[in-house]
Amino acid sequence: KAGVTQTPRYLIKTRGQQVTLSCSPISGHRSVSWYQQTPGQGLQFLFEYFSETQRNKGNFPGRFSGRQFSNSRSEMNVSTLELGDSALYLCASSALSATYEQYFGPGTRLTVT
Amino acid sequence: GIQVEQSPPDLILQEGANSTLRCNFSDSVNNLQWFHQNPWGQLINLFYIPSGTKQNGRLSATTVATERYSLLYISSSQTTDSGVYFCAVAMDSSYKLIFGSGTRLLVRP
C-alpha cells in the first residue's frame, strides 16, 4: 500500500505571495491532518479534516486554510506569505479505526524570501 | 493544554551502546506515538503505544499511562539510528497530535 504523498517537495516563494500544498492520504484513510515544523516552534498542529469537514484547528492565523476533497485528498493554502512561514509542512493520514495512529508523508519544505 | 516533555534533549552514543529516551505528558491520552525523523524530514512511525509494552527488533517502548510517561529503548545502537526522536500524544478521541521537543541522537562509529 502506498504511503502518504505530498507535492511539491520543495517550494520557494516571495513574501506576499500565496501557496498551495497538496497531500494524498494512504488509500482508505479518511482523516488528514497538517502540521508545521520550524526550528523555533517545533512541530505544531494546523488542522484536521474528515469527510471534507474541518474537525479541529490549531492556533494559526486565518492566512492558513485547508480543504479536503471527496477522495480524501487535502490541500492547504497560505496567503500573504511571511518570512516566518518558512517551514517543513507535514501531512498525516489516519484510518479512523480502533486506533488513532497517524502516518506522515515526506513533507513540503517551503522557503519564503 | 497538555504538555509533553522529552529527555534528554541531546544524546551521543558509541555504536553498540544502549539508550533510554523518556517522554512525560501532563494529562490522560488516547494516543501516544514515537517517531524517528530521518535526515530528509520524514517522520517514521516507530510505535503506537498509548499503554503497555511493545518491541520491534532492537527497539522497544513502554507506556505507563497511570503515571503519564513513556520510555523508548534502543539497544545495540547503530549509526543509522542517528536522528531526532519525537514523542507525540493526543487526547479525547482527537487526531490533534501534540509533539514533544524531541531527543537528538548521534551514534558514532
Side-chain angles (χ1 to χ4, degrees):
Chain A
K1 190 182 278 193
V4 178
T5 59
Q6 293 186 244
T7 57
R9 294 293 311 281
Y10 302 91
L11 204 49
I12 300 175
K13 289 287 189 178
T14 304
R15 264 183 306 177
Q17 289 185 316
Q18 73 164 14
V19 66
T20 299
L21 312 182
S22 180
C23 171
S24 293
I26 293 171
S27 177
H29 286 195
R30 295 171 62 194
S31 169
V32 174
S33 300
W34 289 89
Y35 295 82
Q36 181 198 62
Q37 185 177 26
T38 60
Q41 299 299 317
L43 278 150
Q44 294 184 287
F45 173 82
L46 280 158
F47 25 65
E48 185 237 341
Y49 287 87
F50 172 72
S51 289
E52 303 177 64
T53 300
Q54 185 182 91
R55 296 200 301 183
N56 214 335
K57 190 177 191 304
N59 189 24
F60 280 81
R63 300 185 297 105
F64 291 81
S65 63
R67 59 177 176 169
Q68 186 180 34
F69 302 94
S70 58
N71 62 358
S72 294
R73 190 177 70 85
S74 177
E75 290 181 347
M76 67 163 283
N77 184 77
V78 187
S79 63
T80 318
L81 284 165
E82 301 177 359
L83 295 179
D85 298 333
S86 294
L88 178 66
Y89 290 88
L90 293 162
C91 165
S93 75
S94 182
L96 287 178
S97 62
T99 78
Y100 297 88
E101 187 168 10
Q102 295 187 39
Y103 298 84
F104 282 79
T108 294
R109 193 167 296 278
L110 171 66
T111 301
V112 182
T113 62
Chain B
I2 190 169
Q3 304 295 316
V4 182
E5 294 181 355
Q6 291 187 243
S7 60
D10 296 281
L11 188 58
I12 301 175
L13 300 173
Q14 285 298 126
E15 201 167 25
N18 303 328
S19 61
T20 301
L21 283 57
R22 187 177 179 101
C23 172
N24 292 334
F25 45 96
S26 60
D27 208 335
S28 301
V29 299
N30 65 281
N31 180 1
L32 189 148
Q33 292 186 244
W34 283 98
F35 298 94
H36 177 210
Q37 189 164 41
N38 68 21
W40 298 273
Q42 183 160 8
L43 291 171
I44 308 300
N45 287 43
L46 297 177
F47 293 102
Y48 169 79
I49 188 163
S51 64
T53 298
K54 291 185 178 180
Q55 180 159 6
N56 184 3
R58 297 181 297 102
L59 272 58
S60 63
T62 295
T63 296
V64 183
T66 53
E67 297 187 21
R68 298 179 183 167
Y69 72 89
S70 183
L71 302 173
L72 176 68
Y73 305 96
I74 304 174
S75 64
S76 304
S77 57
Q78 302 175 357
T79 56
T80 51
D81 294 332
S82 297
V84 184
Y85 289 79
F86 288 101
C87 166
V89 304
M91 306 166 57
D92 300 331
S93 305
S94 164
Y95 288 82
K96 175 181 177 179
L97 283 175
I98 306 300
F99 282 81
S101 54
T103 292
R104 186 175 301 274
L105 174 65
L106 175 63
V107 181
R108 290 181 168 155

